[in-house]
Amino acid sequence: MQAYRFALDVTPGQERALLAHAGAARLAYNWSLARVKAVLDQRAAERSYGLAEADLTPAAGWTLPALRRAWNAAKNDVAPWWSECSKEAYNTGLDALARALKNWADSRSGRRAGRPVGFPRFKSRRRSAPTIRFTTGSIRIESDRKHVVLPRLGRLKTHESTRKLARRLEAGTARILSATVRRDGGRWHVSFCVALDRAEREPARPHTTIGVDVGVKHLAVLSSGEVVPNPRHLDTAGRRMRRRARRMSRRVGPDRRTGRYPSKRWEAARRQVARAHNRVANLRRDGLHKLTTRLAREYGTIVVEDLNVAGMLRNRRLARHIADAGFAELRRQLAYKAGWNGGRLVVVDRWYPSSKTCSGCGAVKTKLTLSERTYTCTTCGLTLDRDLNAARNLAALAHEATDARSGRESQNGRGADRKTRPRGPVAAKRQPGTATAGQTGTVPPQDGTADHVPFRHHERLRCG
Ligand SMILES: [Zn+2]
């Protein structure tokens, strides 16, 4: 499965139709949420009066079929105009709600790992991105490769050529499963979810291992010695973004308390801010995709560190740069692209002291501050760049994992209780990676802040 996303050039009439469909999706979502909420509140109140469980108002189901049944029974009263929009519009909203409620329920009962998920909130016309998803009907790409056809909406012009997907469809190696139209950053996009027959591929150098150390100073340092510079697009575009945000703040915006509407000039300024942000996001995505594609096509084994991005983002001084570099996205892309190209991705657990270990002799340092950009080994005298040292350690780990197939590699992102032991002599003081599971609270990943909150949450949910 793969997504193909194309920017659209919609006419004003088409935009009206798209917004109407998105509004219909939102109405179905909000109406169903209100109903589920009312029933839940009613049952809670009845329980507080001491009613027996059997006498309570019957629970409202919140699976997609149940929500759809309730909506179909009520739509003539709630939205007498419902036939003006495709039924897929209402389905979009109901499907989103069914997922949201399931996530909330699973999170509450401890079946879902990660951060706690709150109860779904109502969607607002201003805050939620208008979106609609088609799963049935005539979804196709025109043979001129410049238009797509969607149910009800008809022919929409694409801003860019659709040839990459069109070629696959013509060759019969792809099948469109669904199409989602969405407006983000003032521009409409269509995204096709496609089932692909992928040809078997092999990386250019299948037996080569590359260690990738993602850092703050550079986007990545490879164990081959190559330094991939940070795409600091946020910094480059920062001036423009700040100027536009300042201009917006000087204009008359909306005020909830007084019921003041935003001025036309404020609206225009806001669109400009959104565009500046959008451009940064696009540049960043492009840089990341180019790097990950290149790595996945070339190397048989790629080793990265499992950085605790959520914890590092809470460290406010590093936050902007880390958010800019898009660590988590880099890892996500490497994972699926290595799969496509026949390579493999090894994720080293987050407590392995890749920065503090000497890549020459394996000795581990007790202390290494972030400001020390060069690694100097006190045991063997090796001196090299800090990030290159870390990258070489990661690459060496992959070799061991291949040899022993031991518990050294952890493919999942939650391997916090799995330990990757240092390879060489260890100094007297307790080192990162030498503690047993459950006692690792003092080990900061990459000198950052150790963050155990997700795991504690998890345990608490299991117990209570
Ligand atoms: Zn050494």
Side-chain angles (χ1 to χ4, degrees):
M1 291 237 275
Q2 189 180 340
Y4 285 85
R5 188 164 168 265
F6 304 105
L8 292 172
D9 285 333
V10 294
T11 64
Q14 287 170 339
E15 179 159 36
R16 271 197 300 281
L18 282 167
L19 286 172
H21 275 78
R26 206 169 50 236
L27 177 88
Y29 178 98
N30 285 342
W31 180 84
S32 301
L33 177 57
R35 190 182 132 270
V36 169
K37 218 172 163 171
V39 172
L40 281 177
D41 290 347
Q42 176 70 21
R43 281 169 65 87
E46 285 171 0
R47 238 182 240 121
S48 72
Y49 302 148
L51 249 72
E53 203 64 22
D55 301 333
L56 297 182
T57 310
W62 58 49
T63 58
L64 180 56
L67 291 178
R68 211 186 269 153
R69 234 174 292 130
W71 168 257
N72 283 332
K75 65 184 176 189
N76 281 323
D77 302 323
V78 182
W81 44 263
W82 61 265
S83 61
E84 286 169 27
C85 288
S86 163
K87 68 177 165 48
E88 297 277 1
Y90 311 102
N91 196 52
T92 304
L94 297 178
D95 184 50
L97 180 63
R99 283 167 202 263
L101 285 166
K102 183 177 185 302
N103 288 344
W104 166 74
D106 285 355
S107 173
R108 225 166 65 125
S109 61
R111 264 171 305 186
R112 187 181 202 274
R115 281 158 170 264
V117 177
F119 193 77
R121 288 190 293 177
F122 290 103
K123 284 193 190 298
S124 122
R125 182 165 63 88
R126 286 186 185 81
R127 265 173 309 167
S128 52
T131 175
I132 166 167
R133 178 161 154 258
F134 296 95
T135 51
T136 54
S138 56
I139 305 169
R140 57 171 206 274
I141 284 181
E142 292 276 62
S143 52
D144 65 0
R145 297 178 176 181
K146 280 177 193 149
H147 293 87
V148 296
V149 176
L150 295 175
R152 281 300 176 102
L153 301 168
R155 252 164 69 104
L156 304 173
K157 188 180 174 300
T158 54
H159 184 70
E160 51 204 321
S161 167
T162 59
R163 82 176 166 280
K164 278 202 169 172
L165 179 54
R167 272 187 199 145
R168 284 237 175 221
L169 291 170
E170 282 158 20
T173 56
R175 194 164 52 87
I176 296 177
L177 301 177
S178 70
T180 306
V181 188
R182 189 183 157 90
R183 189 181 69 189
D184 26 28
R187 169 154 247 170
W188 290 90
H189 289 91
V190 61
S191 171
F192 292 100
C193 182
V194 176
L196 281 187
D197 289 335
R198 221 171 263 288
E200 287 277 319
R201 274 209 238 165
E202 202 173 49
R205 296 156 71 185
H207 303 295
T208 318
T209 298
I210 190 99
V212 184
D213 181 71
V214 282
V216 171
K217 203 174 166 212
H218 313 289
L219 175 60
V221 175
L222 312 181
S223 57
S224 59
E226 189 191 328
V227 175
V228 186
N230 225 341
R232 297 196 180 214
H233 298 306
L234 258 184
D235 290 349
T236 330
R239 256 189 68 187
R240 184 193 295 156
M241 245 160 55
R242 277 195 297 278
R243 197 164 57 225
R244 289 185 178 182
R246 202 159 52 230
R247 189 193 293 152
M248 183 175 133
S249 77
R250 289 199 192 106
R251 295 185 174 175
V252 180
D255 193 334
R256 267 261 174 94
R257 285 166 305 171
T258 57
R260 187 178 69 195
Y261 281 95
S263 72
K264 286 273 188 292
R265 285 160 60 79
W266 182 88
E267 294 275 20
R270 192 185 58 160
R271 276 194 295 276
Q272 295 249 295
V273 170
R275 276 188 61 181
H277 277 281
N278 215 256
R279 177 165 172 77
V280 169
N282 288 342
L283 289 168
R284 181 196 292 155
R285 193 182 309 125
D286 186 49
L288 274 178
H289 270 298
K290 279 175 179 157
L291 171 66
T292 52
T293 297
R294 181 162 68 89
L295 289 174
R297 285 208 177 136
E298 188 156 0
Y299 301 99
T301 305
I302 305 166
V303 194
V304 292
E305 203 167 19
D306 177 19
L307 287 176
N308 178 9
V309 177
M312 287 176 93
L313 283 177
R314 233 165 279 149
N315 180 343
R316 287 176 58 194
R317 278 171 53 184
L318 290 178
R320 221 173 69 99
H321 293 292
I322 291 166
D324 195 10
F327 284 171
E329 184 59 17
L330 181 115
R331 212 190 93 183
R332 191 186 69 84
Q333 289 179 9
L334 280 177
Y336 71 74
K337 287 183 186 177
W340 290 354
N341 288 286
R344 91 193 159 114
L345 178 74
V346 176
V347 180
V348 174
D349 79 52
R350 72 175 64 153
W351 310 118
Y352 177 73
S354 62
S355 294
K356 293 177 187 170
T357 308
C358 171
S359 58
C361 68
V364 182
K365 280 198 175 196
T366 33
K367 251 178 134 178
L368 186 75
T369 57
L370 258 185
S371 56
E372 287 178 57
R373 301 311 311 175
T374 329
Y375 185 94
T376 310
C377 181
T378 44
T379 315
C380 72
L382 180 81
T383 306
L384 81 169
D385 177 73
R386 170 208 179 91
D387 298 325
L388 179 56
N389 180 52
R392 285 194 181 162
N393 280 326
L394 292 176
L397 269 176
H399 288 308
E400 288 183 27
T402 325
D403 295 343
R405 278 261 157 224
S406 62
R408 274 180 207 287
E409 54 176 321
S410 70
Q411 293 283 5
N412 63 341
R414 299 194 170 276
D417 55 348
R418 292 194 211 166
K419 290 282 138 311
T420 310
R421 309 226 168 251
R423 288 176 296 137
V426 171
K429 199 173 157 191
R430 206 194 84 199
Q431 287 307 305
T434 58
T436 51
Q439 303 175 341
T440 49
T442 55
V443 184
Q446 292 278 294
D447 307 295
T449 321
D451 177 52
H452 278 246
V453 175
F455 305 105
R456 249 190 263 126
H457 262 306
H458 193 57
E459 282 159 25
R460 198 167 64 216
L461 285 168
R462 278 278 154 78
C463 302

